[in-house]
Amino acid sequence: MSALRYAGLDDTDSEDELPPAWEERSTPDGWIYYVNHAEQKTQWDNPKTGKRKKVAGELPYGWQQLVDAKGQVFFTDHINGRTTFVDPRLAFPVEEPGAARSSSTAFRQRFDGSSTALDVLQGRDLSGVVALVTGASSGIGFETSRSLALHGARVFLACRDAARGAHATQLITSEWPQAQVDVLPLDLSSLRSVRECAASFISQRLPLHVAVCNAAVFAAPWSLTEDLLESTFQVNHLGHFYLLRLLQETLVRSAPARVVLVSSESHRFPELDGAGFRVDLSRLSPASRSDHWPALAYNRSKLCTLLLALALHVRLSPLHVATHAVHPGNMVPTRLARHSWAYRLLFQLARPFTKSPQQAAATAVYCATAPELHGASGMYFNNCCRCLPSAAAQSEELARDLWELSERLVSERMGPLPPGGSA
């Protein structure tokens, strides 16, 4: 990803963090004021920026504004069963006219590695948004889907196991009965299943505003899919490539839309130049069994994920479809390590020191919904903060090579792809 896409972006210090002893509150009509508990005083101007703000829009789904016997405004979150005096819309205020933000502050970081996906969406109303999430029946994909659905989006859970998908749907709707959640069968190890999933979604005649490609396998032993391709490469990369190519027209028609690809910091380990990457990709035939190393196959696939994000950015950003890649976290306690007892043990030992699945979903949800990312594309995020991927992941030449290889592998098995794949 070219460094040009980072030009002009400022640092990530947050101007929203108040000095010690200060608290942000709102009046019944939405104006924000600031309380200094140490000096026991209030004021309208932000003590750090000097700006005045007002909360905007309706309360998010599940929230209700009430007034107690003393006339004090408070807010009840019926979804999570909690009450607070803090207006949930304070996370997304608007400034008083004449005090608009400059472009240089548009990318200030508001969330970090401890933030959850629900933190990212606090105060947001996503009604009207249609999203599709792969690997959505458990772990990070489930928390991504749950967070989007609880804030009003209609979410399609694309998952391999229909029973697990139905259970995930039940969990979400039991938390909020009005949640709009649908299950789409999707087995990324089968290109036929990918085509059927895309056709099923397209038949709904709905827009697609957000596509989160989250599903993955890790430390899987060598095996071939029904399409005679190495399984980690197909599940983690090629299946998502084919799905997005089939849904590309829908995404463009729904623009502005966003694609979020879940990668990993492990993408940095295959330190390859152009020739080395091409040789590495050539090891996808049945003859490569003796060369298979599960960890390397995973790392290679996650480099492919970032290169796919770059290729999609080049092709789709002019059509107002943004693409970002994210690192969710290390050794998050999910079913990812199910193929290896050694990694299951390692993940279990690391559990007290890693993110929860809700925290791990935060960066993908941020890239899928953050208003400050409107118009931005082609970036890599970790802990809700943009960062540079490896040099190989920034190579547009490698991205083109991978795109051409992916198109060839799919078209040889499934016939011609829909038009619109050229740069």
Side-chain angles (χ1 to χ4, degrees):
M1 296 181 183
S2 169
L4 290 176
R5 286 193 287 283
Y6 295 86
L9 302 187
D10 63 342
D11 58 37
T12 60
D13 292 333
S14 173
E15 71 171 20
D16 298 322
E17 183 177 355
L18 294 173
W22 285 90
E23 181 186 356
E24 190 176 48
R25 293 185 180 177
S26 63
T27 64
D29 58 355
W31 285 103
I32 295 174
Y33 65 98
Y34 302 89
V35 179
N36 186 321
H37 294 288
E39 300 179 12
Q40 296 186 344
K41 69 175 184 178
T42 62
Q43 62 186 56
W44 293 110
D45 298 338
N46 184 302
K48 190 173 181 179
T49 67
K51 298 174 182 176
R52 296 188 179 188
K53 297 182 180 180
K54 186 177 183 179
V55 294
E58 299 294 327
L59 288 168
Y61 275 110
W63 285 86
Q64 182 180 10
Q65 178 176 302
L66 301 167
V67 180
D68 63 18
K70 298 180 180 179
Q72 188 168 7
V73 176
F74 66 98
F75 301 88
T76 297
D77 177 0
H78 294 290
I79 294 176
N80 296 306
R82 57 177 177 156
T83 297
T84 176
F85 288 103
V86 179
D87 190 324
R89 294 170 294 179
L90 287 175
F92 297 93
V94 295
E95 291 172 4
E96 191 176 7
R101 280 187 169 205
S102 67
S103 59
S104 66
T105 63
F107 283 80
R108 290 189 180 276
Q109 185 179 358
R110 293 183 292 122
F111 307 104
D112 56 27
S114 64
S115 302
T116 67
L118 292 173
D119 290 336
V120 170
L121 291 175
Q122 184 181 16
R124 299 294 307 280
D125 180 357
L126 300 181
S127 57
V129 172
V130 179
L132 184 150
V133 182
T134 70
S137 63
S138 64
I140 298 171
F142 171 74
E143 292 297 342
T144 299
S145 303
R146 168 178 170 256
S147 301
L148 295 172
L150 291 181
H151 286 80
R154 181 173 182 181
V155 184
F156 285 83
L157 281 61
C159 46
R160 181 174 54 86
D161 190 321
R164 294 179 67 88
H167 179 62
T169 299
Q170 182 181 13
L171 289 175
I172 295 171
T173 54
S174 65
E175 192 170 355
W176 188 42
Q178 287 75 33
Q180 302 178 77
V181 188
D182 302 87
V183 177
L184 287 176
L186 171 64
D187 182 355
L188 290 164
S189 67
S190 165
L191 296 178
R192 174 187 50 80
S193 174
V194 173
R195 183 171 62 187
E196 291 173 354
C197 176
S200 179
F201 180 84
I202 292 170
S203 70
Q204 305 272 344
R205 300 186 180 276
L206 292 169
L208 180 58
H209 305 106
V210 173
V212 181
C213 296
N214 161 82
V217 293
F218 170 74
W222 185 89
S223 65
L224 293 179
T225 66
E226 65 179 49
D227 302 297
L228 300 181
L229 292 166
E230 194 274 319
S231 59
T232 299
F233 173 79
Q234 179 165 339
V235 172
N236 292 6
H237 165 69
L238 196 66
H240 282 134
F241 167 84
Y242 189 31
L243 180 66
L244 292 172
R245 284 288 280 108
L246 294 172
L247 294 176
Q248 178 176 317
E249 182 180 344
T250 304
L251 285 163
V252 171
R253 192 171 61 248
S254 310
R258 301 189 192 186
V259 175
V260 180
L261 299 167
V262 179
S263 182
S264 170
E265 279 292 279
S266 299
H267 85 273
R268 300 185 188 276
F269 297 135
E271 290 295 337
L272 304 169
D273 57 18
F277 187 69
R278 294 183 191 97
V279 169
D280 215 35
L281 288 179
S282 70
R283 298 172 179 166
L284 301 174
S285 66
S288 66
R289 181 171 189 170
S290 61
D291 298 328
H292 183 77
W293 180 26
L296 177 59
Y298 177 80
N299 298 344
R300 182 196 299 130
S301 73
K302 290 306 178 179
L303 176 56
C304 289
T305 299
L306 273 159
L307 290 170
L308 175 57
L310 174 55
L312 288 169
H313 162 74
V314 171
R315 289 163 174 78
L316 299 185
S317 59
L319 303 175
H320 308 291
V321 177
T323 305
H324 298 294
V326 304
H327 170 61
N330 297 314
M331 292 187 285
V332 179
T334 67
R335 299 180 66 246
L336 186 65
R338 62 188 179 274
H339 295 288
S340 167
W341 68 265
Y343 279 112
R344 287 200 303 272
L345 176 60
L346 182 61
F347 275 48
Q348 187 66 28
L349 292 173
R351 188 166 187 167
F353 312 103
T354 61
K355 292 181 179 180
S356 69
Q358 243 296 309
Q359 290 172 319
T363 303
V365 168
Y366 174 77
C367 288
T369 63
E372 58 265 35
L373 294 184
H374 178 71
S377 180
M379 293 190 286
Y380 176 53
F381 285 80
N382 183 5
N383 294 329
C384 298
C385 177
R386 70 189 182 280
C387 57
L388 285 173
S390 69
Q394 299 179 61
S395 170
E396 293 190 6
E397 180 183 5
L398 292 183
R400 283 194 300 271
D401 288 346
L402 177 61
W403 185 275
E404 292 170 2
L405 172 66
S406 301
E407 287 207 320
R408 177 172 61 82
L409 292 173
V410 171
S411 60
E412 286 174 352
R413 290 156 175 81
M414 305 302 294
L417 287 162
S422 60

Short mmCIF file of all heavy atoms in Angstrom, two decimals, residues 336-376:
data_model
loop_
_atom_site.label_atom_id
_atom_site.label_comp_id
_atom_site.label_asym_id
_atom_site.label_seq_id
_atom_site.Cartn_x
_atom_site.Cartn_y
_atom_site.Cartn_z
N LEU A 336 -10.24 -20.58 16.28
CA LEU A 336 -9.25 -20.53 15.22
C LEU A 336 -8.20 -21.63 15.36
O LEU A 336 -7.72 -22.17 14.36
CB LEU A 336 -8.57 -19.15 15.20
CG LEU A 336 -7.60 -18.89 14.05
CD1 LEU A 336 -8.33 -18.89 12.71
CD2 LEU A 336 -6.87 -17.56 14.25
N ALA A 337 -7.81 -21.95 16.60
CA ALA A 337 -6.73 -22.93 16.82
C ALA A 337 -7.23 -24.37 16.91
O ALA A 337 -6.50 -25.25 17.36
CB ALA A 337 -5.97 -22.56 18.11
N ARG A 338 -8.44 -24.64 16.44
CA ARG A 338 -9.04 -25.95 16.65
C ARG A 338 -8.31 -27.08 15.92
O ARG A 338 -8.48 -28.26 16.26
CB ARG A 338 -10.50 -25.93 16.20
CG ARG A 338 -10.72 -25.63 14.73
CD ARG A 338 -12.20 -25.42 14.43
NE ARG A 338 -12.46 -25.12 13.02
CZ ARG A 338 -12.40 -23.91 12.51
NH1 ARG A 338 -12.08 -22.88 13.28
NH2 ARG A 338 -12.67 -23.71 11.22
N HIS A 339 -7.48 -26.76 14.91
CA HIS A 339 -6.82 -27.81 14.14
C HIS A 339 -5.54 -28.31 14.78
O HIS A 339 -4.93 -29.25 14.27
CB HIS A 339 -6.51 -27.30 12.72
CG HIS A 339 -7.72 -26.99 11.91
ND1 HIS A 339 -8.54 -27.98 11.41
CD2 HIS A 339 -8.27 -25.81 11.52
CE1 HIS A 339 -9.54 -27.43 10.74
NE2 HIS A 339 -9.40 -26.11 10.79
N SER A 340 -5.09 -27.70 15.87
CA SER A 340 -3.81 -28.09 16.47
C SER A 340 -3.92 -28.08 17.99
O SER A 340 -4.23 -27.03 18.58
CB SER A 340 -2.70 -27.11 16.02
OG SER A 340 -1.55 -27.26 16.80
N TRP A 341 -3.65 -29.23 18.62
CA TRP A 341 -3.71 -29.28 20.09
C TRP A 341 -2.65 -28.38 20.70
O TRP A 341 -2.87 -27.78 21.76
CB TRP A 341 -3.57 -30.71 20.58
CG TRP A 341 -2.20 -31.30 20.36
CD1 TRP A 341 -1.78 -32.07 19.32
CD2 TRP A 341 -1.07 -31.15 21.24
NE1 TRP A 341 -0.46 -32.41 19.46
CE2 TRP A 341 0.00 -31.86 20.65
CE3 TRP A 341 -0.86 -30.49 22.44
CZ2 TRP A 341 1.26 -31.93 21.21
CZ3 TRP A 341 0.40 -30.56 23.03
CH2 TRP A 341 1.45 -31.27 22.41
N ALA A 342 -1.48 -28.27 20.05
CA ALA A 342 -0.41 -27.45 20.59
C ALA A 342 -0.81 -25.97 20.61
O ALA A 342 -0.58 -25.25 21.60
CB ALA A 342 0.87 -27.65 19.77
N TYR A 343 -1.41 -25.51 19.51
CA TYR A 343 -1.85 -24.12 19.47
C TYR A 343 -3.05 -23.89 20.39
O TYR A 343 -3.19 -22.80 20.97
CB TYR A 343 -2.19 -23.71 18.03
CG TYR A 343 -0.98 -23.34 17.22
CD1 TYR A 343 -0.55 -24.13 16.15
CD2 TYR A 343 -0.23 -22.20 17.52
CE1 TYR A 343 0.56 -23.79 15.40
CE2 TYR A 343 0.88 -21.86 16.77
CZ TYR A 343 1.28 -22.66 15.71
OH TYR A 343 2.39 -22.33 14.98
N ARG A 344 -3.92 -24.88 20.54
CA ARG A 344 -5.03 -24.73 21.48
C ARG A 344 -4.50 -24.50 22.90
O ARG A 344 -5.00 -23.66 23.64
CB ARG A 344 -5.94 -25.96 21.45
CG ARG A 344 -6.79 -26.08 20.22
CD ARG A 344 -7.98 -27.01 20.44
NE ARG A 344 -7.58 -28.34 20.86
CZ ARG A 344 -7.29 -29.33 20.03
NH1 ARG A 344 -7.35 -29.14 18.72
NH2 ARG A 344 -6.95 -30.53 20.50
N LEU A 345 -3.45 -25.25 23.26
CA LEU A 345 -2.84 -25.08 24.58
C LEU A 345 -2.20 -23.71 24.69
O LEU A 345 -2.36 -23.02 25.71
CB LEU A 345 -1.80 -26.17 24.81
CG LEU A 345 -1.01 -26.08 26.12
CD1 LEU A 345 -1.95 -26.15 27.32
CD2 LEU A 345 0.04 -27.19 26.18
N LEU A 346 -1.49 -23.29 23.64
CA LEU A 346 -0.84 -21.98 23.67
C LEU A 346 -1.87 -20.86 23.79
O LEU A 346 -1.69 -19.92 24.57
CB LEU A 346 -0.01 -21.80 22.40
CG LEU A 346 0.79 -20.50 22.28
CD1 LEU A 346 1.79 -20.37 23.42
CD2 LEU A 346 1.49 -20.43 20.93
N PHE A 347 -2.95 -20.96 23.03
CA PHE A 347 -4.00 -19.94 23.10
C PHE A 347 -4.62 -19.91 24.49
O PHE A 347 -4.93 -18.83 25.01
CB PHE A 347 -5.08 -20.22 22.06
CG PHE A 347 -4.80 -19.68 20.68
CD1 PHE A 347 -3.56 -19.89 20.08
CD2 PHE A 347 -5.76 -18.99 19.97
CE1 PHE A 347 -3.29 -19.39 18.81
CE2 PHE A 347 -5.50 -18.49 18.70
CZ PHE A 347 -4.27 -18.70 18.12
N GLN A 348 -4.79 -21.07 25.11
CA GLN A 348 -5.38 -21.12 26.43
C GLN A 348 -4.46 -20.46 27.46
O GLN A 348 -4.91 -19.72 28.34
CB GLN A 348 -5.65 -22.58 26.82
CG GLN A 348 -6.42 -22.75 28.12
CD GLN A 348 -7.84 -22.21 28.04
OE1 GLN A 348 -8.43 -22.19 26.96
NE2 GLN A 348 -8.39 -21.77 29.15
N LEU A 349 -3.16 -20.71 27.36
CA LEU A 349 -2.20 -20.11 28.29
C LEU A 349 -2.14 -18.59 28.12
O LEU A 349 -1.93 -17.86 29.08
CB LEU A 349 -0.81 -20.72 28.07
CG LEU A 349 -0.66 -22.20 28.46
CD1 LEU A 349 0.71 -22.71 28.04
CD2 LEU A 349 -0.87 -22.38 29.96
N ALA A 350 -2.31 -18.13 26.87
CA ALA A 350 -2.21 -16.70 26.61
C ALA A 350 -3.51 -15.95 26.89
O ALA A 350 -3.52 -14.71 26.87
CB ALA A 350 -1.81 -16.48 25.14
N ARG A 351 -4.57 -16.67 27.17
CA ARG A 351 -5.90 -16.05 27.28
C ARG A 351 -5.98 -14.87 28.24
O ARG A 351 -6.61 -13.86 27.92
CB ARG A 351 -6.93 -17.12 27.67
CG ARG A 351 -8.36 -16.63 27.62
CD ARG A 351 -9.35 -17.77 27.68
NE ARG A 351 -10.71 -17.32 27.46
CZ ARG A 351 -11.73 -18.13 27.21
NH1 ARG A 351 -11.52 -19.43 27.12
NH2 ARG A 351 -12.94 -17.64 27.02
N PRO A 352 -5.34 -14.93 29.43
CA PRO A 352 -5.44 -13.77 30.33
C PRO A 352 -4.79 -12.50 29.79
O PRO A 352 -5.02 -11.41 30.33
CB PRO A 352 -4.74 -14.26 31.61
CG PRO A 352 -4.73 -15.74 31.52
CD PRO A 352 -4.62 -16.05 30.06
N PHE A 353 -3.97 -12.64 28.75
CA PHE A 353 -3.18 -11.50 28.29
C PHE A 353 -3.60 -11.02 26.91
O PHE A 353 -2.95 -10.15 26.33
CB PHE A 353 -1.69 -11.89 28.27
CG PHE A 353 -1.23 -12.57 29.52
CD1 PHE A 353 -1.04 -13.94 29.56
CD2 PHE A 353 -1.00 -11.83 30.68
CE1 PHE A 353 -0.61 -14.57 30.71
CE2 PHE A 353 -0.59 -12.46 31.85
CZ PHE A 353 -0.39 -13.83 31.86
N THR A 354 -4.65 -11.60 26.35
CA THR A 354 -5.06 -11.25 25.00
C THR A 354 -6.42 -10.55 25.01
O THR A 354 -7.09 -10.47 26.03
CB THR A 354 -5.15 -12.50 24.12
OG1 THR A 354 -6.13 -13.40 24.67
CG2 THR A 354 -3.81 -13.21 24.04
N LYS A 355 -6.81 -10.10 23.84
CA LYS A 355 -8.11 -9.45 23.70
C LYS A 355 -9.24 -10.47 23.81
O LYS A 355 -9.08 -11.64 23.47
CB LYS A 355 -8.21 -8.77 22.33
CG LYS A 355 -7.31 -7.58 22.11
CD LYS A 355 -7.55 -7.01 20.72
CE LYS A 355 -6.69 -5.81 20.43
NZ LYS A 355 -6.94 -5.26 19.08
N SER A 356 -10.39 -9.99 24.22
CA SER A 356 -11.61 -10.78 24.11
C SER A 356 -12.10 -10.71 22.67
O SER A 356 -11.71 -9.81 21.91
CB SER A 356 -12.68 -10.23 25.05
OG SER A 356 -13.13 -8.96 24.56
N PRO A 357 -12.97 -11.63 22.24
CA PRO A 357 -13.53 -11.52 20.89
C PRO A 357 -14.24 -10.18 20.64
O PRO A 357 -14.18 -9.66 19.52
CB PRO A 357 -14.51 -12.70 20.82
CG PRO A 357 -13.91 -13.71 21.74
CD PRO A 357 -13.35 -12.91 22.88
N GLN A 358 -14.89 -9.60 21.67
CA GLN A 358 -15.53 -8.29 21.50
C GLN A 358 -14.49 -7.21 21.21
O GLN A 358 -14.69 -6.34 20.37
CB GLN A 358 -16.31 -7.94 22.76
CG GLN A 358 -17.81 -7.78 22.59
CD GLN A 358 -18.23 -6.66 21.69
OE1 GLN A 358 -17.80 -5.52 21.83
NE2 GLN A 358 -19.08 -6.98 20.71
N GLN A 359 -13.37 -7.26 21.92
CA GLN A 359 -12.29 -6.31 21.66
C GLN A 359 -11.66 -6.56 20.29
O GLN A 359 -11.31 -5.62 19.57
CB GLN A 359 -11.24 -6.40 22.76
CG GLN A 359 -11.70 -5.87 24.10
CD GLN A 359 -10.71 -6.16 25.21
OE1 GLN A 359 -10.13 -7.24 25.28
NE2 GLN A 359 -10.52 -5.20 26.10
N ALA A 360 -11.50 -7.83 19.95
CA ALA A 360 -10.88 -8.16 18.67
C ALA A 360 -11.74 -7.72 17.48
O ALA A 360 -11.22 -7.47 16.40
CB ALA A 360 -10.62 -9.67 18.59
N ALA A 361 -13.05 -7.63 17.69
CA ALA A 361 -13.95 -7.20 16.61
C ALA A 361 -13.95 -5.69 16.42
O ALA A 361 -14.46 -5.19 15.41
CB ALA A 361 -15.37 -7.68 16.90
N ALA A 362 -13.38 -4.95 17.35
CA ALA A 362 -13.50 -3.49 17.34
C ALA A 362 -12.90 -2.86 16.09
O ALA A 362 -13.48 -1.96 15.49
CB ALA A 362 -12.84 -2.90 18.60
N THR A 363 -11.72 -3.33 15.67
CA THR A 363 -11.05 -2.67 14.55
C THR A 363 -11.81 -2.89 13.25
O THR A 363 -11.94 -1.97 12.44
CB THR A 363 -9.60 -3.17 14.43
OG1 THR A 363 -8.92 -2.94 15.66
CG2 THR A 363 -8.86 -2.42 13.34
N ALA A 364 -12.33 -4.11 13.04
CA ALA A 364 -13.12 -4.35 11.83
C ALA A 364 -14.40 -3.51 11.83
O ALA A 364 -14.78 -2.93 10.80
CB ALA A 364 -13.47 -5.83 11.72
N VAL A 365 -15.06 -3.43 12.98
CA VAL A 365 -16.27 -2.62 13.09
C VAL A 365 -15.95 -1.14 12.87
O VAL A 365 -16.70 -0.41 12.22
CB VAL A 365 -16.95 -2.85 14.45
CG1 VAL A 365 -18.04 -1.82 14.71
CG2 VAL A 365 -17.54 -4.25 14.51
N TYR A 366 -14.82 -0.70 13.41
CA TYR A 366 -14.40 0.68 13.21
C TYR A 366 -14.21 0.99 11.72
O TYR A 366 -14.73 1.98 11.20
CB TYR A 366 -13.10 0.95 13.98
CG TYR A 366 -12.52 2.32 13.73
CD1 TYR A 366 -13.07 3.45 14.35
CD2 TYR A 366 -11.45 2.50 12.87
CE1 TYR A 366 -12.55 4.71 14.12
CE2 TYR A 366 -10.92 3.75 12.63
CZ TYR A 366 -11.48 4.86 13.26
OH TYR A 366 -10.96 6.11 13.02
N CYS A 367 -13.48 0.13 11.03
CA CYS A 367 -13.23 0.36 9.61
C CYS A 367 -14.51 0.27 8.78
O CYS A 367 -14.64 0.91 7.75
CB CYS A 367 -12.19 -0.62 9.09
SG CYS A 367 -10.52 -0.30 9.68
N ALA A 368 -15.47 -0.52 9.26
CA ALA A 368 -16.72 -0.69 8.53
C ALA A 368 -17.68 0.47 8.71
O ALA A 368 -18.54 0.70 7.86
CB ALA A 368 -17.40 -1.99 8.98
N THR A 369 -17.54 1.24 9.81
CA THR A 369 -18.58 2.21 10.15
C THR A 369 -18.09 3.62 10.49
O THR A 369 -18.90 4.54 10.51
CB THR A 369 -19.39 1.71 11.35
OG1 THR A 369 -18.55 1.62 12.50
CG2 THR A 369 -20.02 0.35 11.07
N ALA A 370 -16.82 3.81 10.80
CA ALA A 370 -16.37 5.11 11.34
C ALA A 370 -16.65 6.25 10.36
O ALA A 370 -16.21 6.20 9.20
CB ALA A 370 -14.87 5.06 11.65
N PRO A 371 -17.37 7.28 10.79
CA PRO A 371 -17.65 8.41 9.89
C PRO A 371 -16.38 9.11 9.42
O PRO A 371 -16.33 9.61 8.29
CB PRO A 371 -18.50 9.35 10.76
CG PRO A 371 -19.05 8.50 11.84
CD PRO A 371 -18.01 7.45 12.10
N GLU A 372 -15.35 9.15 10.25
CA GLU A 372 -14.13 9.87 9.87
C GLU A 372 -13.35 9.16 8.78
O GLU A 372 -12.42 9.75 8.20
CB GLU A 372 -13.22 10.08 11.10
CG GLU A 372 -12.80 8.82 11.81
CD GLU A 372 -13.70 8.48 12.98
OE1 GLU A 372 -14.91 8.73 12.89
OE2 GLU A 372 -13.17 7.97 13.99
N LEU A 373 -13.71 7.91 8.46
CA LEU A 373 -13.05 7.21 7.37
C LEU A 373 -13.79 7.36 6.04
O LEU A 373 -13.40 6.75 5.05
CB LEU A 373 -12.91 5.72 7.70
CG LEU A 373 -11.99 5.37 8.87
CD1 LEU A 373 -11.88 3.86 9.03
CD2 LEU A 373 -10.61 5.99 8.69
N HIS A 374 -14.84 8.16 6.03
CA HIS A 374 -15.58 8.38 4.78
C HIS A 374 -14.64 8.97 3.73
O HIS A 374 -13.96 9.97 3.96
CB HIS A 374 -16.76 9.33 5.00
CG HIS A 374 -17.53 9.62 3.76
ND1 HIS A 374 -18.34 8.69 3.15
CD2 HIS A 374 -17.59 10.74 2.98
CE1 HIS A 374 -18.87 9.22 2.06
NE2 HIS A 374 -18.44 10.45 1.94
N GLY A 375 -14.57 8.33 2.58
CA GLY A 375 -13.71 8.80 1.50
C GLY A 375 -12.30 8.25 1.57
O GLY A 375 -11.52 8.45 0.63
N ALA A 376 -11.93 7.58 2.64
CA ALA A 376 -10.60 7.00 2.76
C ALA A 376 -10.64 5.54 2.36
O ALA A 376 -11.66 4.86 2.52
CB ALA A 376 -10.09 7.13 4.19
#
